[in-house]
């Protein structure tokens, strides 16, 4: 209303002042008066001054030339550079813990440093936490295949061993081939022929066979082998590529639980092992029809425990307002993925049989979100006029292990949770080829969209930047608790995750490569997120959970506890 009045008034005055009957002095005085009025009314129309101004106009008002230039620096090329490094084979899938994860953390910290962010951790840009991990002992590993008069020892890199960190001992177990997985054939098997044996599950491929039918046959065979207490399930890799080696074991938070002590393997558990040695595979296939043609010896000592230091990476862009600078908006992502997969051995267990790509690079999940956090830090770090609140840029370890990094942060926040007004978590923001809904271009869905008013605020900011931020009718609510926003939502902080494609080809598969991301779209979404961060940081009114939405009830209660309201009411 006021903005429209300003435009109309300016037009009338400009026409009037051009008439020759008005003297130069009068034109000068009138112009001064009009300028003063327009400046005052424009100020009233700015966000926070006038509740009647449409939200879209308010978001546009935040986009000053300086901010527009800064957000414009979020470009496809730089996002591609970040993702292609983080999701490169050199980082080996960024498992938690792993050397690749350490390299990723150092890379993120270096970008935060370059962006001029203040270190927010207990060790510079790192929030460190002590964990313990149990891993198989390579020195105790022994794998020997005997075929006729040939004895072939396999080092750890020539196998993929999953699920067992030790102790384990299997000596000269006969190797059997199971090719018929029909119900009749499986029922005919007996414990005498199966118990303690190493079984190669190798049903023939049937032309035109439905994949689900084949998977059901394999699943039925596995159930029967467990019932009969088979000792091992052996998969023969289709190539001579190295295996994933010995399993990394279990990760334990030393603050939450006692150190894990390995227990004896349950006898009903089948040890899955893949052989990645061409000579051994050929020898086993040659002995397939020979009775007592091959045996397997497999030994592994007790698991070895070691302490590891895991790191969240954090930096602060300090706010410009003396009071609001002590409050915070968080933008986050997880920088880990699932590491090196088991390769061909997973085929027998219903996975990605036949692939030789063992590195799960996690380009979209979630190198994309991490790259966007880095780009936002570098873009907003260019601003001479900072947003009023401070912005905490945060990347988490261990999301794939169970939201470990964000839950650790929730227990040990780097800035007070009571002074944290909102969190926007970024997850899978690079792929647009959604497997359910088709191309997701210039769009992004917010989990728990209407649990708080953050959803509407982001929608407004997105609209100002030409990006639709919306509530997915199914996945918005269903995926709310499946990413790192959950840890802070549980504490009462309005926290949501922005996602472009919830389900896409190669999700949690080895094919999630950097060259499959839509970087131009990613840049547009990043600019919309940047404007949303500025809007949240500039607004003196903090976001709130929706007390009328029953799905938000637990978070409304947590927010009251966080602010002390519940204690005061008792």
């Amino acid at each position: 209303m006021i903005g429209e009045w300003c435009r109309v008034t300016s037009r009338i005055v400009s026409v009037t002042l051009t008439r020759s009957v008005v003297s130069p002095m009068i034109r000068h005085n009138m112009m001064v008066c009009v300028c003063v009025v327009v400046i005052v009314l424009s100020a009233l129309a700015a966000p926070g001054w006038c509740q009647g101004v449409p939200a879209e106009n308010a978001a546009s008002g935040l986009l000053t030339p300086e901010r527009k230039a800064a957000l414009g620096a979020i470009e496809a090329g730089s996002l591609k550079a970040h993702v292609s490094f983080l999701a490169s084979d050199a980082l080996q899938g960024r498992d938690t813990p792993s050397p690749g994860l350490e390299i990723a953390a150092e890379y993120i910290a270096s970008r935060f440093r370059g962006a001029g962010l203040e270190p927010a951790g207990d060790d510079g840009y790192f929030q460190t936490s002590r964990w313990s991990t149990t891993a198989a002992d390579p020195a105790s590993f022994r794998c020997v295949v005997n075929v006729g008069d040939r004895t072939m020892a396999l080092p750890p890199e020539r196998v993929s061993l999953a699920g067992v960190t030790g102790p384990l001992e299997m000596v000269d177990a006969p190797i059997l081939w199971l090719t018929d997985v029909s119900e009749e054939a499986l029922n005919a098997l007996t414990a005498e022929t199966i118990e303690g044996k190493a079984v190669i599950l190798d049903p023939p491929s049937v032309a035109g066979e439905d994949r689900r039918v084949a998977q059901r046959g394999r699943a039925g065979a596995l159930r029967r082998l467990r019932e009969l207490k088979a000792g091992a399930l052996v998969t023969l890799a289709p190539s001579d590529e190295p295996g994933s080696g010995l399993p990394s074991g279990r990760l334990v938070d030393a603050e939450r639980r006692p150190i894990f002590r390995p227990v004896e393997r349950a006898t009903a558990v089948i040890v899955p092992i893949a052989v990645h040695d061409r000579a051994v595979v050929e020898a086993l296939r040659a002995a397939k029809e020979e009775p007592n043609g091959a045996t397997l010896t497999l030994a592994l000592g007790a698991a070895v425990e070691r302490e590891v230091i895991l790191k969240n990476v954090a930096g602060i862009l300090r706010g410009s307002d003396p009071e609001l600078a002590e409050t915070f908006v968080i933008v986050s992502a997880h920088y880990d993925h699932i590491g090196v997969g088991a390769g061909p051995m997973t085929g027998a267990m219903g996975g990605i049989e036949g692939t030789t790509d063992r590195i799960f690079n996690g380009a979209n999940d979630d190198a994309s979100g991490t790259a966007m956090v880095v780009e936002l830090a570098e873009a907003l770090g260019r601003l001479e006029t900072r947003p009023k609140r401070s912005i905490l840029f945060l990347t988490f370890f261990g999301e794939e292990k169970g939201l470990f990094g964000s839950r650790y942060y929730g227990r040990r926040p780097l800035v007070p949770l009571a002074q944290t007004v909102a969190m926007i978590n970024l997850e899978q923001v690079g792929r647009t080829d959604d497997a359910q809904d088709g191309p997701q271009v210039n769009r992004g869905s917010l989990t728990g969209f209407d649990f708080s008013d953050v959803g509407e605020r982001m929608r407004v900011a997105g609209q100002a930047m030409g990006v639709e931020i919306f509530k997915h009718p199914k996945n918005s609510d269903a995926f709310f608790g499946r990413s790192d926003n959950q840890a802070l939502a549980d504490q009462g902080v309005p926290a949501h995750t922005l996602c472009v494609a919830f389900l896409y080809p190669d999700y949690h598969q080895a094919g999630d490569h950097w060259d499959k991301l839509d970087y131009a779209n990613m840049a547009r979404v990043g600019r919309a997120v940047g404007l949303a961060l500025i809007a949240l940081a500039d607004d003196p009114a903090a976001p709130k959970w929706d007390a009328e939405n029953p799905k938000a009830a637990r978070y409304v209660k947590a927010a009251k506890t966080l602010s002390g309201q519940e204690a005061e009411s008792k």
Side-chain angles (χ1 to χ4, degrees), residues 55-56 59 62 329-331 372 376 422-426 429 443-449 452-471 494-499 525-536 543:
E56 289 78 1
L62 289 168
V329 177
I330 293 177
V331 59
M372 192 173 286
L376 287 164
M423 174 194 197
I424 300 175
N425 185 56
L426 304 173
V429 291
R443 306 183 83 210
S445 180
L446 198 70
T447 62
F449 183 94
S452 81
D453 60 3
V454 170
E456 178 59 21
R457 293 174 187 233
M458 288 202 67
R459 184 196 69 78
V460 169
Q463 187 172 35
M465 299 298 286
V467 174
E468 179 189 6
I469 307 298
F470 69 103
K471 175 183 172 68
H496 306 259
T497 292
L498 180 74
C499 181
V525 172
R527 294 174 200 132
V529 172
L531 185 60
L533 290 172
I534 292 171
L536 289 165

Side-chain angles (χ1 to χ4, degrees), residues 6 44 147 185 214 334 382:
C6 290
L44 291 174
V147 180
H334 71 88
R382 292 181 172 91

Side-chain angles (χ1 to χ4, degrees), residues 42-165:
S42 297
L44 291 174
W49 283 82
C50 180
Q51 298 299 322
V53 176
E56 289 78 1
N57 292 346
S60 299
L62 289 168
L63 199 58
T64 64
E66 182 193 5
R67 288 170 172 177
K68 185 175 182 180
L71 293 175
I74 299 174
E75 296 179 340
S78 51
L79 287 165
K80 182 187 292 186
H82 297 316
V83 174
S84 61
F85 174 75
L86 292 168
S88 65
D89 284 356
L91 270 63
Q92 293 285 292
R94 311 183 308 281
D95 193 14
T96 302
S98 70
L101 190 75
E102 285 287 312
I103 293 170
E106 292 288 350
Y107 179 82
I108 297 163
S110 72
R111 307 307 302 198
F112 285 179
R113 188 179 300 112
L117 302 187
E118 297 178 19
D122 57 272
D123 180 16
Y125 291 98
F126 301 127
Q127 179 186 32
T128 58
S129 58
R130 294 183 180 276
W131 297 66
S132 66
T133 184
T134 59
D137 180 10
S140 68
F141 176 73
R142 184 166 176 252
C143 181
V144 178
V145 175
N146 289 295
V147 180
D149 59 354
R150 297 179 63 185
T151 298
M152 295 167 283
L154 295 170
E157 62 270 18
R158 282 295 161 190
V159 303
S160 293
L161 183 64
V164 179
T165 55

